[in-house]
Amino acid sequence: MQLQENLSDSIQQLKICILIPTYNNAKTLRRVIQGVLEYTSHIIVVNDGSTDHTSSVLADYPSLEVITLPKNRGKGYALRQGFKKAYLTGYDNVITIDSDGQHYPSDLPVFVNTLKATEEPVLLIGSRNLKQNGVPVKSNFGNKFSNFWFWFETGIKLQDTQSGYRLYPLKYMPKKYFTTKFEFEIEVIVRSAWKGIPVKNIPISVLYDPDERVSHFRPFTDFTRISILNTILVLITLIYIKPRDFVKKLKKKSFKQFIKEDILQSNDTKEIKALSIALGTFIGIAPLWGLQTFLAIFLPSIFRLNKVLSFVFSNISIPPMIPIIIYLSLKTGSLFIASEKGLAFDLDTITLESVADHIAQYLVGSIVLASVTALIFGVMSYCLLTLYSKKSLKDG
């Protein structure tokens, strides 16, 4: 009893409320509410247009904050309405627990104590043991699928990204969302991670009782929605998030620090470093305008190269160098492709029109120039890194 009183005090101090979204789970809803009430009365229930006797169950708890939606709008919409109410009421954190009976209110202390021990805002997701008996195979597969894409989109590895038992740092989360169904629970954790909020798993228990659990997940429709959302999130990740985060990280370093940490003292082998420099150089010179930053980060991620080196050397095509690169590309291309108009201009008279007149020469020339320059930069950097390694061993 004393432990429950202490937990209740902690919930009060940390301004936590428990949010229970429910849709046609009257069979298990009462048990969930009773379990939560053993720890706190700070509860918001969102009745998402239930058509069973959910309303009569909630009528037995007149002191609870209940939001009743006239028709079913989806779990994501219900959660968003609950978040809005909690924010306006003055809560700082929200713990969501499903009403289908799979979550144990007795795990609430795990969330509260973890939050107490954390100095920064954090988003906690209960990690279920999906290998235990009774867990549907489709749940295990769906969770692994979700975990992979969450890692790809955020760089954070989790064991469970689909559990509805979560703690949200209400005031630090994104304020606007685009989804309203089950996929909302993916959108909210990905976009929170993009904002810099740590997303972590904590262990919880789980109960799968086929006799009383009612799942409203529609395998085809909801999986399709989730797949579409992940496709959009991946595109945003590759085009904007990864380049943004990378540039932010790079800007924090001085040139001297960059040379020391990312070139000389990086844990990568000299072969990896040389290949990364060669790749960045190729991307910077090749006719890949508008995609250079993206490719300089994405390709090293795929081939396990050094993203920093690749990105830095892709900037060989900085504005002052562009006319030189175009000119050398045209000159190189003219060695392979003849032109009726000839190259009747020099470095000082290059224009877009003149390049358009010799587009084939430019494309071929830029690929050849990029390949040769990348090879030269790669070999030179490998030799210099080898000399540095020998010197370091000698000095050591």
Side-chain angles (χ1 to χ4, degrees), residues 19-23 25 44-47 75 78-79 96-99:
L19 174 59
I20 308 174
T22 186
Y23 173 61
N25 283 124
I44 297 175
V45 180
V46 182
N47 180 4
K75 187 179 183 182
L79 288 172
T96 60
I97 180 170
D98 291 343
S99 63

Side-chain angles (χ1 to χ4, degrees), residues 305-365:
L305 299 178
N306 188 306
K307 294 187 289 291
V308 175
L309 290 177
S310 174
F311 173 77
V312 169
F313 279 85
S314 72
N315 283 279
I316 190 173
S317 58
I318 56 176
M321 289 293 295
I322 290 176
I324 298 174
I325 291 173
I326 293 176
Y327 177 76
L328 292 176
S329 296
L330 288 167
K331 282 291 188 182
T332 303
S334 67
L335 299 175
F336 298 90
I337 298 178
S339 174
E340 296 179 359
K341 296 184 178 180
L343 292 174
F345 56 85
D346 55 31
L347 185 59
D348 297 326
T349 60
I350 290 179
T351 63
L352 290 176
E353 290 76 12
S354 61
V355 174
D357 290 337
H358 302 275
I359 190 66
Q361 290 174 312
Y362 166 68
L363 292 175
V364 172

Side-chain angles (χ1 to χ4, degrees), residues 18 20 29-30 32-34 36-37 40-45 57-67:
I18 314 302
I20 308 174
L29 177 60
R30 188 185 300 278
V32 174
I33 293 176
Q34 286 295 139
V36 174
L37 283 172
T40 181
S41 60
H42 295 278
I43 302 173
I44 297 175
V45 180
V57 172
L58 294 175
D60 293 337
Y61 301 94
S63 62
L64 297 187
E65 182 72 51
V66 177
I67 300 172

Side-chain angles (χ1 to χ4, degrees), residues 123-178:
L123 196 160
L124 303 174
I125 302 176
S127 180
R128 304 160 294 175
N129 179 13
L130 296 179
K131 294 182 180 179
Q132 71 183 48
N133 293 334
V135 178
V137 175
K138 63 181 181 181
S139 295
N140 204 353
F141 169 78
N143 191 55
K144 289 181 179 179
F145 177 85
S146 179
N147 294 348
F148 170 78
W149 288 114
F150 179 76
W151 165 78
F152 190 91
E153 291 152 6
T154 66
I156 301 172
K157 287 189 176 182
L158 296 179
Q159 288 76 46
D160 192 346
T161 53
Q162 290 196 316
S163 170
Y165 208 170
R166 304 178 176 190
L167 182 145
Y168 293 96
L170 197 57
K171 294 188 176 181
Y172 297 91
M173 293 159 49
K175 297 298 184 288
K176 295 182 179 180
Y177 301 95
F178 306 103

